Amino acid sequence: MLIPDRLLAQIADYAAVERRRAAAAFAARGGWRAIDRPIIAMAPTAAGRLTLVGGGGVAVETLTPDERGRVVFCDAAGAPVEPAALWLTEVGQPVKPNSWEAIFARASRRCAEAGHPMQVHPHRLRHSFAVHMLAMLIERRLHDAAAPTGAMEGYRRLLGDPLQQVQRLLGHASLTTTYHYLDHVATQADTLDTAVDELMARLPAMWPR
């Protein structure tokens, strides 16, 4: 499996900032006590083996997902200081595999309680992002086209394709897949109408007869 360099850089940034802060909170709160049957160990060697506090060792690859979530690294004195898991909560506890499912379930309940019954899930967030991004790009394109500039430059700006930008952001293989988001851009009609009005007001000056 190939992982894009950009994604690796983002993970490195997370580890250097958010995760480091969460790990510090874990150490300060003695978070290891909240882990059921913690496996206290030294950081793994280059060969991928953990040296367990109290004696013995184990190869990381032989640990089950549950066991890996219970591994806590210790300092040189043997004091537990940091979970081995990459993804941590704000207080430094390892994120459970089903945590996101619970988060979206709570979000769905809150929406229903607020009078907006809907099923919230990750793809809905992706959909919302696409609609808002497309509306913003169209508005920006119209705004740029209305800016004082030469006729050809304004025409070039207007013909720039926000759909293609959203297609790249979402990773759609075909632009046809991205087209259906246009049906939902109407929810951003006020923003777009303002941009269109601004463009139409400037057209006579941009293309004088």
Side-chain angles (χ1 to χ4, degrees):
M1 176 180 178
L2 297 178
I3 301 178
D5 290 340
R6 184 179 64 176
L7 179 57
L8 290 175
Q10 291 174 339
I11 293 175
D13 290 341
Y14 157 76
V17 182
E18 288 94 340
R19 190 187 184 283
R20 179 176 295 178
R21 186 182 301 118
F26 179 90
R29 297 162 61 98
W32 67 274
R33 297 185 181 89
I35 297 178
D36 181 36
R37 295 172 293 130
I39 300 173
I40 313 299
M42 303 294 290
T45 64
R49 288 189 61 82
L50 294 175
T51 299
L52 304 178
V53 172
V58 62
V60 174
E61 64 182 14
T62 65
L63 297 176
T64 66
D66 175 71
E67 290 171 334
R68 295 186 186 196
R70 293 190 281 118
V71 174
V72 179
F73 293 148
C74 62
D75 58 19
V81 293
E82 179 181 347
L86 174 62
W87 306 110
L88 305 178
T89 66
E90 292 182 354
V91 295
Q93 292 295 326
V95 174
K96 301 294 184 183
N98 63 343
S99 293
W100 284 111
E101 296 176 10
I103 289 172
F104 285 110
R106 289 197 300 270
S108 297
R109 288 196 299 270
R110 288 198 299 270
C111 288
E113 292 168 358
H116 304 287
M118 66 174 65
Q119 191 65 33
V120 182
H121 46 75
H123 196 76
R124 185 175 292 276
L125 296 186
R126 175 183 167 90
H127 173 85
S128 298
F129 165 80
V131 171
H132 286 285
M133 178 61 72
L134 183 57
M136 183 192 73
L137 290 172
I138 293 175
E139 187 274 337
R140 184 72 261 173
R141 190 69 65 180
L142 291 170
H143 176 80
D144 288 347
T149 184
M152 290 305 297
E153 176 64 15
Y155 189 61
R156 182 189 66 78
R157 290 178 178 177
L158 185 59
L159 287 181
D161 194 348
L163 271 174
Q164 290 182 340
Q165 296 181 53
V166 173
Q167 176 195 11
R168 288 193 294 270
L169 287 171
L170 298 183
H172 290 161
S174 171
L175 188 61
T176 303
T177 308
T178 316
Y179 278 137
H180 78 275
Y181 288 110
L182 285 174
D183 297 334
H184 301 277
V185 170
T187 60
Q188 307 293 317
D190 292 343
T191 299
L192 298 183
D193 287 346
T194 300
V196 170
D197 289 342
E198 181 181 353
L199 173 63
M200 296 305 293
R202 291 180 179 271
L203 282 179
M206 293 169 60
W207 287 286
R209 294 184 178 181

